[in-house]
Amino acid sequence: MLTDNATIDLRSVNRVLVDEDGSPAHYLIPAYQRGFRWNQWQVTQLLEDVWDFIQSSDDKPKTVYYCLQPLVVRKCANGRSFEVVDGQQRLTTIYLLLEQCKEITKLFGKQCFSIDYATRDSTFLKEIDLKRSNENVDFHHICEAWKTIEKWLNDRRDTSHKIKLLQHLLNDDEVGHNVKFIWYELDPDEDPINVFTRLNVGKIPLTETELVRALFLRRAAQDDSTGNLPLRIAYEWDQIEKRLHNDAVWYFLQNHEIKDSNRIGLIFRLATRMAGRGGEGQHYTVFSYFAELLKSERSSEPEWQKVKDIFMTIDEWHEDRDLFHVVGFILHQTRDRDSLTTIAKLLADSWKLGKQEFSKSLRSKVCEMMLSIDLEKISETELAEEISDLCRRINYANRERLRSLLLLFNLATLLQDPKSNIRFQFESFKCESWDIEHIRSVSDNRPESRAAQKEWLEHCLKFLQTSSNEVDDEKLVADIETYLDSETKSETRKNFEEIDGKILSHFKEAEIEPSHELENLTLLDSKTNRGYKDAVFAVKRDILLQNDRTGIFVPLCTRNVFLKCYSRAVGNAIIWTDYDARHYLDAIIETLISFFDDSGAVKQ
């Protein structure tokens, strides 16, 4: 972690050109750095990004700017030069661009900064000579970058784009359309080599979240000379981060992990989105927002309180069992790119509405997602008909919607009894891949390859050996063992179709038409599902219950199916009949009707 008393600011390229006295700034690349190494693609990408921003800037608010990544520096002992700890590649590319356009730069009354190397020939940068590109690796990369910039500028065919580019790049209006560095100036006492190692050798980047943390702690230190406020913010920050690193909380909110190791960054992205920022597509939007906010007359404490309010509301959703399941479903259905917007809207609703009204509004959102109808404009009878119609016509061909429907069935089941404290494991559900599984095997889809046939029969054999003492079963066991015995001659080995037919007949699945309807479908993790392939109900039941006993997550309703909890009268526990299927479908319909009807949002 970098020190929290560093200077952190947004500085336009124009401000980076000069030092505090207005003289051309001087930057030193220290000996521990390897020199300039950007390739053609990286140089072009920076130019394209800046140019795309400039081209679209006329349609953007006056305060929008293009934000470059952090430039980490430390003031040298002479008090005038800056040692570049991180950001050398970007700074050098900007330098080369300005040198390419130095005549236009002079017209604007500007001078370019200078760059020196502690252990290399620095004169080369002051007068680029392409003939010297093979003298060393540094000259080679600088020359390649020079040629890339030259070609990129020439490809635009006239000089007007150069003028427009330099106008924005060197704009000295701090709130205008320009390009800014995130200026991170280390404390003079901080060891720059340790920082460089952390940012480069250790491959731990200075994240946007860490930059925001530095902003808050620096401003808090200015607001409170006693030091209590920055200590409190630092402590509360760590508590929020720790809470969000609880996967049960994180995967309730998000469908995937993030690249940033600081999960608290989600809260800052939400704060930025709720303030109406972040939609312009610029880099470092969150940092830019808080940098401007904390530079104003407002102190850090009320701004930090707003951040805490967002977190505390989300944490309250997680702790409230009803909100946990309904909000969790809504966020699971949300595409990743829409996640922030959805959470921001839910936060706004929760602050505007009372708890009961908010809960009703959530069920209305779920109804709109699943049925495309307004829950408040439909009667109980109409709602029941819509749910029944959906459940009776949906089938295996529409797996995405089926997955959502079965997930909702699980969540609604958990909420049926207010005395229950069981919670759905979103972290397990989102970190694993889930299939729509046939409860009763689809007999027209039998294993074809020798390996698949062998695996399927091994599952059946294991079940029969441990669960049956009948004479007929013993004969079936012997046939399976003979087939699986690699030493048995092929002419004495039973035909797979014959053995397969006997197994299906034994479990009463041979004469039943295969069903791809909801009444024969449930949720199951892909590993378990693909592990037992198209096994009969009894084998599937045995494997699934063993998983449940050993702590492998099995959704409640999937477990209930294989325990036949939905069947009003249980006959043979190892055979899934049409009678069981009908009662299972009825249970899904009744549970979903109750879920929406009990919310109080249905039209009376």
Side-chain angles (χ1 to χ4, degrees), residues 381-400:
T381 302
E382 291 170 326
L383 174 65
E385 290 174 352
E386 289 284 348
I387 292 174
S388 179
D389 179 61
L390 171 63
C391 292
R392 295 183 190 283
R393 62 182 164 80
I394 197 169
N395 58 44
Y396 191 72
N398 195 344
R399 286 192 285 279
E400 282 305 311

Short mmCIF file of all heavy atoms in Angstrom, two decimals, residues 381-400:
data_model
loop_
_atom_site.label_atom_id
_atom_site.label_comp_id
_atom_site.label_asym_id
_atom_site.label_seq_id
_atom_site.Cartn_x
_atom_site.Cartn_y
_atom_site.Cartn_z
N THR A 381 -56.76 -13.86 -10.39
CA THR A 381 -57.14 -14.91 -11.33
C THR A 381 -56.31 -14.85 -12.60
O THR A 381 -55.80 -15.87 -13.09
CB THR A 381 -58.63 -14.80 -11.69
OG1 THR A 381 -59.41 -14.88 -10.49
CG2 THR A 381 -59.05 -15.92 -12.65
N GLU A 382 -56.13 -13.63 -13.12
CA GLU A 382 -55.34 -13.45 -14.34
C GLU A 382 -53.87 -13.83 -14.11
O GLU A 382 -53.23 -14.43 -14.97
CB GLU A 382 -55.44 -12.00 -14.82
CG GLU A 382 -56.82 -11.63 -15.34
CD GLU A 382 -56.96 -10.13 -15.56
OE1 GLU A 382 -56.35 -9.36 -14.78
OE2 GLU A 382 -57.67 -9.73 -16.51
N LEU A 383 -53.37 -13.47 -12.92
CA LEU A 383 -51.99 -13.82 -12.58
C LEU A 383 -51.81 -15.34 -12.55
O LEU A 383 -50.85 -15.87 -13.12
CB LEU A 383 -51.63 -13.24 -11.21
CG LEU A 383 -50.26 -13.64 -10.65
CD1 LEU A 383 -49.13 -13.10 -11.51
CD2 LEU A 383 -50.11 -13.16 -9.20
N ALA A 384 -52.76 -16.03 -11.92
CA ALA A 384 -52.68 -17.50 -11.84
C ALA A 384 -52.69 -18.12 -13.23
O ALA A 384 -51.95 -19.07 -13.51
CB ALA A 384 -53.82 -18.04 -11.00
N GLU A 385 -53.52 -17.57 -14.10
CA GLU A 385 -53.61 -18.10 -15.47
C GLU A 385 -52.30 -17.87 -16.23
O GLU A 385 -51.84 -18.74 -16.97
CB GLU A 385 -54.77 -17.44 -16.20
CG GLU A 385 -56.15 -17.87 -15.69
CD GLU A 385 -57.27 -17.09 -16.35
OE1 GLU A 385 -56.97 -16.11 -17.09
OE2 GLU A 385 -58.45 -17.42 -16.12
N GLU A 386 -51.69 -16.69 -16.05
CA GLU A 386 -50.43 -16.38 -16.74
C GLU A 386 -49.31 -17.31 -16.28
O GLU A 386 -48.53 -17.82 -17.09
CB GLU A 386 -50.04 -14.92 -16.47
CG GLU A 386 -50.92 -13.89 -17.15
CD GLU A 386 -50.62 -13.76 -18.64
OE1 GLU A 386 -49.60 -14.29 -19.10
OE2 GLU A 386 -51.43 -13.11 -19.33
N ILE A 387 -49.22 -17.52 -14.97
CA ILE A 387 -48.16 -18.39 -14.43
C ILE A 387 -48.37 -19.82 -14.88
O ILE A 387 -47.43 -20.51 -15.30
CB ILE A 387 -48.12 -18.29 -12.89
CG1 ILE A 387 -47.65 -16.90 -12.47
CG2 ILE A 387 -47.21 -19.37 -12.30
CD1 ILE A 387 -47.70 -16.64 -10.99
N SER A 388 -49.62 -20.29 -14.80
CA SER A 388 -49.92 -21.65 -15.23
C SER A 388 -49.61 -21.85 -16.71
O SER A 388 -49.02 -22.88 -17.09
CB SER A 388 -51.39 -21.97 -14.94
OG SER A 388 -51.71 -23.27 -15.37
N ASP A 389 -49.97 -20.87 -17.51
CA ASP A 389 -49.72 -20.98 -18.95
C ASP A 389 -48.22 -21.04 -19.24
O ASP A 389 -47.77 -21.86 -20.05
CB ASP A 389 -50.36 -19.78 -19.66
CG ASP A 389 -50.13 -19.81 -21.16
OD1 ASP A 389 -50.57 -20.77 -21.82
OD2 ASP A 389 -49.47 -18.88 -21.68
N LEU A 390 -47.45 -20.20 -18.57
CA LEU A 390 -46.00 -20.20 -18.78
C LEU A 390 -45.40 -21.55 -18.39
O LEU A 390 -44.60 -22.14 -19.14
CB LEU A 390 -45.35 -19.09 -17.95
CG LEU A 390 -43.81 -19.10 -17.89
CD1 LEU A 390 -43.21 -18.89 -19.28
CD2 LEU A 390 -43.30 -18.04 -16.91
N CYS A 391 -45.78 -22.07 -17.22
CA CYS A 391 -45.20 -23.32 -16.72
C CYS A 391 -45.59 -24.52 -17.57
O CYS A 391 -44.83 -25.50 -17.66
CB CYS A 391 -45.62 -23.55 -15.27
SG CYS A 391 -44.92 -22.36 -14.11
N ARG A 392 -46.76 -24.47 -18.21
CA ARG A 392 -47.22 -25.62 -19.00
C ARG A 392 -46.70 -25.60 -20.44
O ARG A 392 -46.70 -26.65 -21.10
CB ARG A 392 -48.75 -25.70 -18.97
CG ARG A 392 -49.30 -25.99 -17.58
CD ARG A 392 -50.81 -26.14 -17.56
NE ARG A 392 -51.29 -26.17 -16.18
CZ ARG A 392 -51.20 -27.23 -15.36
NH1 ARG A 392 -50.63 -28.35 -15.79
NH2 ARG A 392 -51.66 -27.17 -14.12
N ARG A 393 -46.27 -24.43 -20.91
CA ARG A 393 -45.80 -24.39 -22.29
C ARG A 393 -44.28 -24.29 -22.42
O ARG A 393 -43.72 -24.61 -23.47
CB ARG A 393 -46.46 -23.25 -23.06
CG ARG A 393 -46.17 -21.87 -22.54
CD ARG A 393 -46.91 -20.79 -23.34
NE ARG A 393 -46.95 -19.53 -22.65
CZ ARG A 393 -45.96 -18.66 -22.61
NH1 ARG A 393 -44.83 -18.93 -23.23
NH2 ARG A 393 -46.09 -17.52 -21.96
N ILE A 394 -43.59 -23.87 -21.38
CA ILE A 394 -42.14 -23.75 -21.47
C ILE A 394 -41.51 -25.14 -21.52
O ILE A 394 -42.01 -26.09 -20.91
CB ILE A 394 -41.58 -22.94 -20.28
CG1 ILE A 394 -40.16 -22.45 -20.58
CG2 ILE A 394 -41.63 -23.76 -18.99
CD1 ILE A 394 -39.65 -21.43 -19.58
N ASN A 395 -40.41 -25.28 -22.27
CA ASN A 395 -39.76 -26.59 -22.37
C ASN A 395 -38.24 -26.45 -22.50
O ASN A 395 -37.71 -25.34 -22.47
CB ASN A 395 -40.34 -27.40 -23.53
CG ASN A 395 -40.20 -26.69 -24.86
OD1 ASN A 395 -39.15 -26.13 -25.18
ND2 ASN A 395 -41.27 -26.70 -25.65
N TYR A 396 -37.59 -27.56 -22.71
CA TYR A 396 -36.13 -27.64 -22.71
C TYR A 396 -35.49 -26.78 -23.80
O TYR A 396 -34.32 -26.40 -23.69
CB TYR A 396 -35.72 -29.10 -22.89
CG TYR A 396 -34.25 -29.37 -22.65
CD1 TYR A 396 -33.73 -29.33 -21.35
CD2 TYR A 396 -33.39 -29.67 -23.69
CE1 TYR A 396 -32.39 -29.59 -21.12
CE2 TYR A 396 -32.04 -29.93 -23.46
CZ TYR A 396 -31.55 -29.88 -22.17
OH TYR A 396 -30.24 -30.13 -21.93
N ALA A 397 -36.26 -26.47 -24.84
CA ALA A 397 -35.71 -25.67 -25.94
C ALA A 397 -35.38 -24.24 -25.49
O ALA A 397 -34.54 -23.57 -26.09
CB ALA A 397 -36.69 -25.64 -27.11
N ASN A 398 -36.04 -23.77 -24.43
CA ASN A 398 -35.82 -22.40 -23.95
C ASN A 398 -35.08 -22.47 -22.61
O ASN A 398 -35.62 -22.15 -21.55
CB ASN A 398 -37.16 -21.69 -23.79
CG ASN A 398 -36.99 -20.19 -23.64
OD1 ASN A 398 -35.90 -19.70 -23.36
ND2 ASN A 398 -38.07 -19.46 -23.81
N ARG A 399 -33.80 -22.91 -22.66
CA ARG A 399 -33.08 -23.23 -21.43
C ARG A 399 -32.76 -22.00 -20.57
O ARG A 399 -32.75 -22.11 -19.34
CB ARG A 399 -31.80 -24.00 -21.76
CG ARG A 399 -32.08 -25.43 -22.16
CD ARG A 399 -30.82 -26.27 -22.20
NE ARG A 399 -30.01 -26.00 -23.38
CZ ARG A 399 -30.25 -26.53 -24.58
NH1 ARG A 399 -31.28 -27.31 -24.77
NH2 ARG A 399 -29.46 -26.25 -25.59
N GLU A 400 -32.48 -20.87 -21.19
CA GLU A 400 -32.15 -19.68 -20.40
C GLU A 400 -33.34 -19.25 -19.55
O GLU A 400 -33.20 -18.95 -18.36
CB GLU A 400 -31.69 -18.54 -21.30
CG GLU A 400 -30.25 -18.67 -21.79
CD GLU A 400 -29.26 -18.83 -20.66
OE1 GLU A 400 -29.33 -18.03 -19.69
OE2 GLU A 400 -28.44 -19.76 -20.71
#
